[in-house]
Amino acid sequence: EYNLWNFQKSDTAYVFADMAYVRDNPSLNSKIIDSLSEGNLVIIHSEGYNDSKIRGFSAPWHEIIYVKDNEQKKGFIWLGLLALNGTKNKDGELFIYGFKKFRIATENDYQYYESELKVFNRDQRLITKEIFHATVDGQMGTETKILSGMGLQEIKNIHRIAFLSEACGTPTLYYYFAWNGKNLIHFPEKMSVSDAGVFYHDETILFPSEHKGDPKMIYKNIIDGENIAEDLDNPKFKETKSQKKYSWDGKVLSEIISFQ
Protein backbone atom coordinates (compact mmCIF):
# COMPACT_ATOMS: atom_id res chain seq x y z
CA GLU A 1 0.00 0.00 0.00
CA TYR A 2 1.03 3.59 -0.55
CA ASN A 3 2.60 5.46 2.36
CA LEU A 4 4.12 8.89 2.86
CA TRP A 5 7.68 7.52 2.82
CA ASN A 6 7.16 6.11 -0.67
CA PHE A 7 10.62 4.52 -0.70
CA GLN A 8 11.68 2.42 -3.65
CA LYS A 9 14.42 -0.19 -3.79
CA SER A 10 17.90 1.42 -3.82
CA ASP A 11 16.63 4.68 -2.25
CA THR A 12 18.68 6.09 0.61
CA ALA A 13 17.06 6.97 3.93
CA TYR A 14 18.03 8.25 7.37
CA VAL A 15 17.26 6.71 10.74
CA PHE A 16 14.82 9.03 12.52
CA ALA A 17 14.27 7.24 15.84
CA ASP A 18 16.75 7.91 18.65
CA MET A 19 17.62 4.21 18.42
CA ALA A 20 16.27 1.79 15.79
CA TYR A 21 16.45 -1.98 16.05
CA VAL A 22 17.39 -4.07 13.02
CA ARG A 23 15.82 -7.54 12.93
CA ASP A 24 16.47 -10.80 11.09
CA ASN A 25 12.90 -10.92 9.68
CA PRO A 26 10.14 -8.36 8.97
CA SER A 27 8.26 -8.79 12.23
CA LEU A 28 8.23 -7.49 15.79
CA ASN A 29 8.53 -11.08 16.95
CA SER A 30 11.77 -11.65 15.07
CA LYS A 31 15.26 -11.54 16.55
CA ILE A 32 17.03 -8.20 17.07
CA ILE A 33 20.39 -8.44 15.33
CA ASP A 34 21.64 -4.85 15.49
CA SER A 35 20.76 -1.25 16.32
CA LEU A 36 21.27 2.04 14.53
CA SER A 37 21.30 5.53 16.00
CA GLU A 38 19.54 8.62 14.68
CA GLY A 39 20.99 10.15 11.56
CA ASN A 40 22.55 6.91 10.26
CA LEU A 41 22.24 6.40 6.51
CA VAL A 42 20.68 3.21 5.14
CA ILE A 43 19.78 1.90 1.69
CA ILE A 44 16.34 0.42 1.04
CA HIS A 45 16.97 -3.10 -0.33
CA SER A 46 13.46 -4.52 -0.78
CA GLU A 47 9.82 -3.79 -1.33
CA GLY A 48 7.65 -3.35 1.74
CA TYR A 49 6.57 -6.36 3.82
CA ASN A 50 3.56 -6.87 6.14
CA ASP A 51 2.51 -3.73 7.99
CA SER A 52 2.89 -3.45 11.76
CA LYS A 53 1.08 -0.89 13.90
CA ILE A 54 3.46 0.75 16.33
CA ARG A 55 3.19 4.14 18.05
CA GLY A 56 -0.39 4.43 16.83
CA PHE A 57 0.23 4.14 13.08
CA SER A 58 0.90 1.41 10.53
CA ALA A 59 3.92 1.06 8.27
CA PRO A 60 5.63 -1.82 6.44
CA TRP A 61 9.03 -3.43 6.96
CA HIS A 62 11.90 -3.14 4.52
CA GLU A 63 15.18 -4.94 4.20
CA ILE A 64 18.03 -2.43 4.42
CA ILE A 65 21.76 -2.34 3.72
CA TYR A 66 23.98 -0.22 5.95
CA VAL A 67 27.58 0.14 7.04
CA LYS A 68 28.58 -0.25 10.68
CA ASP A 69 32.07 -0.71 12.10
CA ASN A 70 33.39 -0.54 8.52
CA GLU A 71 31.33 -3.59 7.57
CA GLN A 72 28.35 -3.77 5.21
CA LYS A 73 25.36 -5.41 6.86
CA LYS A 74 21.74 -6.32 6.11
CA GLY A 75 18.58 -6.60 8.15
CA PHE A 76 14.94 -5.56 8.40
CA ILE A 77 13.60 -2.33 9.85
CA TRP A 78 10.12 -0.96 10.50
CA LEU A 79 9.61 1.98 8.18
CA GLY A 80 8.24 4.23 10.95
CA LEU A 81 11.73 4.35 12.45
CA LEU A 82 13.10 6.07 9.35
CA ALA A 83 12.86 9.75 8.49
CA LEU A 84 10.22 10.80 5.99
CA ASN A 85 12.83 12.89 4.25
CA GLY A 86 16.21 14.51 4.70
CA THR A 87 18.25 17.28 3.15
CA LYS A 88 21.45 19.23 3.79
CA ASN A 89 22.23 22.93 3.66
CA LYS A 90 25.36 24.38 2.07
CA ASP A 91 27.26 23.94 5.36
CA GLY A 92 26.62 20.20 5.33
CA GLU A 93 24.16 20.30 8.22
CA LEU A 94 21.55 17.55 7.91
CA PHE A 95 17.83 18.16 8.49
CA ILE A 96 15.54 15.15 8.88
CA TYR A 97 11.94 14.82 10.02
CA GLY A 98 9.60 11.98 10.90
CA PHE A 99 6.68 10.78 12.98
CA LYS A 100 7.05 10.02 16.69
CA LYS A 101 3.47 8.98 17.46
CA PHE A 102 -0.08 9.25 16.12
CA ARG A 103 -2.50 11.08 18.42
CA ILE A 104 -6.21 10.36 17.95
CA ALA A 105 -8.79 13.15 17.90
CA THR A 106 -10.26 14.34 21.20
CA GLU A 107 -13.05 16.72 22.13
CA ASN A 108 -10.54 19.54 22.23
CA ASP A 109 -8.14 18.72 19.40
CA TYR A 110 -7.86 17.25 15.92
CA GLN A 111 -5.96 14.05 15.20
CA TYR A 112 -2.31 14.63 14.41
CA TYR A 113 1.10 13.04 14.16
CA GLU A 114 3.49 14.14 16.86
CA SER A 115 6.41 14.89 14.58
CA GLU A 116 9.95 16.13 14.98
CA LEU A 117 12.57 17.96 12.96
CA LYS A 118 16.18 17.15 13.83
CA VAL A 119 19.42 18.88 12.82
CA PHE A 120 22.84 17.19 12.72
CA ASN A 121 26.29 18.64 12.11
CA ARG A 122 28.81 17.34 9.58
CA ASP A 123 30.03 14.75 12.12
CA GLN A 124 26.52 13.30 12.43
CA ARG A 125 26.06 14.69 15.93
CA LEU A 126 22.63 15.97 16.90
CA ILE A 127 22.59 19.76 17.31
CA THR A 128 18.93 20.28 18.17
CA LYS A 129 15.40 19.05 17.53
CA GLU A 130 11.93 20.55 17.56
CA ILE A 131 8.53 18.87 17.93
CA PHE A 132 5.56 19.93 15.79
CA HIS A 133 2.04 18.63 15.23
CA ALA A 134 1.45 17.51 11.64
CA THR A 135 -2.30 17.31 10.95
CA VAL A 136 -1.72 14.80 8.17
CA ASP A 137 -4.82 12.99 6.92
CA GLY A 138 -5.01 11.80 3.32
CA GLN A 139 -1.99 13.60 1.89
CA MET A 140 -0.18 11.66 -0.82
CA GLY A 141 3.45 12.69 -0.42
CA THR A 142 5.98 14.80 1.40
CA GLU A 143 8.92 16.97 0.42
CA THR A 144 11.48 19.15 2.14
CA LYS A 145 13.26 22.28 1.00
CA ILE A 146 16.05 24.42 2.42
CA LEU A 147 15.51 28.11 1.70
CA SER A 148 17.95 30.93 2.31
CA GLY A 149 17.55 33.25 5.27
CA MET A 150 14.97 35.10 3.13
CA GLY A 151 16.24 38.49 4.29
CA LEU A 152 15.66 37.84 8.00
CA GLN A 153 18.18 39.00 10.60
CA GLU A 154 20.24 36.25 12.30
CA ILE A 155 18.70 33.44 10.20
CA LYS A 156 20.86 31.05 8.16
CA ASN A 157 18.08 29.04 6.56
CA ILE A 158 14.35 28.52 6.46
CA HIS A 159 13.46 24.81 6.46
CA ARG A 160 10.12 24.02 4.80
CA ILE A 161 8.32 20.71 5.25
CA ALA A 162 5.40 19.99 2.93
CA PHE A 163 2.72 17.30 3.00
CA LEU A 164 1.24 17.25 -0.49
CA SER A 165 -2.31 16.55 -1.61
CA GLU A 166 -3.90 15.91 -4.99
CA ALA A 167 -7.41 15.21 -3.66
CA CYS A 168 -10.34 17.60 -3.42
CA GLY A 169 -10.98 18.70 0.14
CA THR A 170 -7.59 17.48 1.40
CA PRO A 171 -5.16 20.32 2.13
CA THR A 172 -1.52 20.65 1.18
CA LEU A 173 0.28 21.59 4.40
CA TYR A 174 3.51 23.55 4.86
CA TYR A 175 5.50 23.81 8.10
CA TYR A 176 8.29 26.39 8.37
CA PHE A 177 11.24 26.45 10.78
CA ALA A 178 13.89 29.15 10.96
CA TRP A 179 17.46 27.95 11.62
CA ASN A 180 20.01 30.27 13.23
CA GLY A 181 22.83 27.71 13.48
CA LYS A 182 21.93 26.65 17.03
CA ASN A 183 18.15 26.60 17.37
CA LEU A 184 15.02 25.89 15.35
CA ILE A 185 12.23 28.45 15.63
CA HIS A 186 8.65 27.70 14.65
CA PHE A 187 7.50 30.08 11.94
CA PRO A 188 3.99 30.55 10.50
CA GLU A 189 2.46 27.56 8.77
CA LYS A 190 0.38 27.69 5.61
CA MET A 191 -2.09 25.51 3.75
CA SER A 192 -3.98 25.32 0.48
CA VAL A 193 -7.18 23.37 -0.10
CA SER A 194 -9.99 23.33 -2.64
CA ASP A 195 -13.07 21.42 -3.67
CA ALA A 196 -13.76 21.81 -7.38
CA GLY A 197 -16.70 24.08 -8.02
CA VAL A 198 -17.39 24.62 -4.31
CA PHE A 199 -14.62 26.54 -2.51
CA TYR A 200 -10.92 27.20 -2.26
CA HIS A 201 -8.59 28.46 0.47
CA ASP A 202 -5.07 29.59 -0.32
CA GLU A 203 -2.36 30.98 1.96
CA THR A 204 0.87 32.63 0.84
CA ILE A 205 3.78 33.58 3.11
CA LEU A 206 5.98 36.49 2.09
CA PHE A 207 9.40 36.95 3.67
CA PRO A 208 11.42 40.22 3.46
CA SER A 209 13.38 39.09 0.41
CA GLU A 210 10.04 38.57 -1.36
CA HIS A 211 7.92 41.55 -0.27
CA LYS A 212 10.93 43.96 -0.39
CA GLY A 213 9.53 45.97 2.51
CA ASP A 214 10.35 46.15 6.21
CA PRO A 215 13.07 43.51 6.86
CA LYS A 216 11.48 42.69 10.23
CA MET A 217 8.09 41.78 8.77
CA ILE A 218 6.57 38.52 7.53
CA TYR A 219 3.14 38.49 5.91
CA LYS A 220 0.65 35.69 5.45
CA ASN A 221 -1.88 36.54 2.73
CA ILE A 222 -5.11 34.52 2.78
CA ILE A 223 -7.70 34.17 0.02
CA ASP A 224 -11.01 32.35 0.49
CA GLY A 225 -13.19 31.68 -2.52
CA GLU A 226 -16.79 30.49 -2.27
CA ASN A 227 -18.94 29.51 -5.22
CA ILE A 228 -22.12 31.59 -5.29
CA ALA A 229 -23.48 30.09 -8.52
CA GLU A 230 -25.96 27.22 -8.48
CA ASP A 231 -24.27 25.53 -11.44
CA LEU A 232 -21.14 23.78 -10.13
CA ASP A 233 -19.90 23.29 -13.70
CA ASN A 234 -19.81 27.07 -14.18
CA PRO A 235 -18.82 28.38 -10.76
CA LYS A 236 -18.67 32.03 -9.82
CA PHE A 237 -16.44 32.59 -6.84
CA LYS A 238 -16.79 35.31 -4.26
CA GLU A 239 -13.35 36.06 -2.84
CA THR A 240 -12.49 37.24 0.65
CA LYS A 241 -8.95 38.41 1.34
CA SER A 242 -7.20 38.84 4.67
CA GLN A 243 -3.68 39.15 6.02
CA LYS A 244 -1.74 38.17 9.12
CA LYS A 245 1.39 40.08 10.10
CA TYR A 246 4.40 38.86 12.06
CA SER A 247 7.42 40.72 13.40
CA TRP A 248 10.90 39.17 13.76
CA ASP A 249 13.48 40.93 15.96
CA GLY A 250 16.31 38.48 15.38
CA LYS A 251 15.31 36.24 18.28
CA VAL A 252 11.54 36.19 18.73
CA LEU A 253 8.67 35.98 16.25
CA SER A 254 5.52 37.86 17.29
CA GLU A 255 2.14 38.05 15.60
CA ILE A 256 0.89 41.61 15.29
CA ILE A 257 -2.76 41.79 16.36
CA SER A 258 -4.72 44.72 15.00
CA PHE A 259 -7.97 45.80 16.66
CA GLN A 260 -10.60 47.32 14.40
Side-chain angles (χ1 to χ4, degrees), residues 2 28 61 152 166 179 194 200 216 224 230:
Y2 183 85
L28 274 176
W61 296 77
L152 292 168
E166 297 178 357
W179 170 241
S194 65
Y200 59 84
K216 295 182 179 180
D224 286 291
E230 294 184 3

Side-chain angles (χ1 to χ4, degrees), residues 35-193:
S35 63
L36 294 170
S37 57
E38 57 189 348
N40 279 171
L41 185 69
V42 303
I43 298 174
I44 304 299
H45 193 55
S46 74
E47 303 299 324
Y49 295 93
N50 27 296
D51 284 10
S52 291
K53 189 173 184 179
I54 308 171
R55 301 181 181 181
F57 62 95
S58 295
W61 296 77
H62 285 266
E63 186 178 33
I64 58 170
I65 297 174
Y66 59 96
V67 175
K68 187 174 182 180
D69 300 326
N70 295 318
E71 181 183 350
Q72 181 173 293
K73 300 182 179 183
K74 289 183 182 180
F76 291 88
I77 196 167
W78 183 62
L79 191 59
L81 300 177
L82 299 182
L84 287 159
N85 217 326
T87 189
K88 294 182 179 181
N89 64 13
K90 65 180 182 180
D91 294 325
E93 294 164 331
L94 172 66
F95 296 73
I96 64 173
Y97 62 97
F99 294 148
K100 292 175 65 66
K101 190 172 183 178
F102 178 72
R103 304 287 186 178
I104 62 173
T106 66
E107 292 183 1
N108 301 316
D109 205 353
Y110 295 103
Q111 68 178 38
Y112 65 89
Y113 288 87
E114 183 178 317
S115 309
E116 196 167 53
L117 173 62
K118 299 181 177 184
V119 187
F120 299 83
N121 65 16
R122 285 177 175 269
D123 299 322
Q124 204 176 304
R125 294 182 179 178
L126 181 69
I127 302 174
T128 191
K129 54 188 177 180
E130 190 71 22
I131 288 178
F132 64 102
H133 294 173
T135 54
V136 173
D137 185 13
Q139 284 73 17
M140 298 296 291
T142 182
E143 68 177 18
T144 181
K145 188 172 183 179
I146 297 286
L147 307 174
S148 68
M150 304 303 286
L152 292 168
Q153 181 185 1
E154 303 296 331
I155 296 301
K156 287 179 62 177
N157 297 110
I158 303 291
H159 185 274
R160 189 185 74 186
I161 297 168
F163 294 97
L164 309 171
S165 170
E166 297 178 357
C168 290
T170 301
T172 290
L173 309 169
Y174 295 89
Y175 298 88
Y176 289 83
F177 294 85
W179 170 241
N180 63 11
K182 295 181 179 179
N183 302 301
L184 290 164
I185 305 104
H186 281 269
F187 263 39
E189 303 165 3
K190 74 172 185 177
M191 63 172 284
S192 297
V193 62

Side-chain angles (χ1 to χ4, degrees), residues 193-207:
V193 62
S194 65
D195 194 345
V198 181
F199 75 93
Y200 59 84
H201 175 94
D202 186 63
E203 299 177 353
T204 303
I205 293 180
L206 296 176
F207 294 103

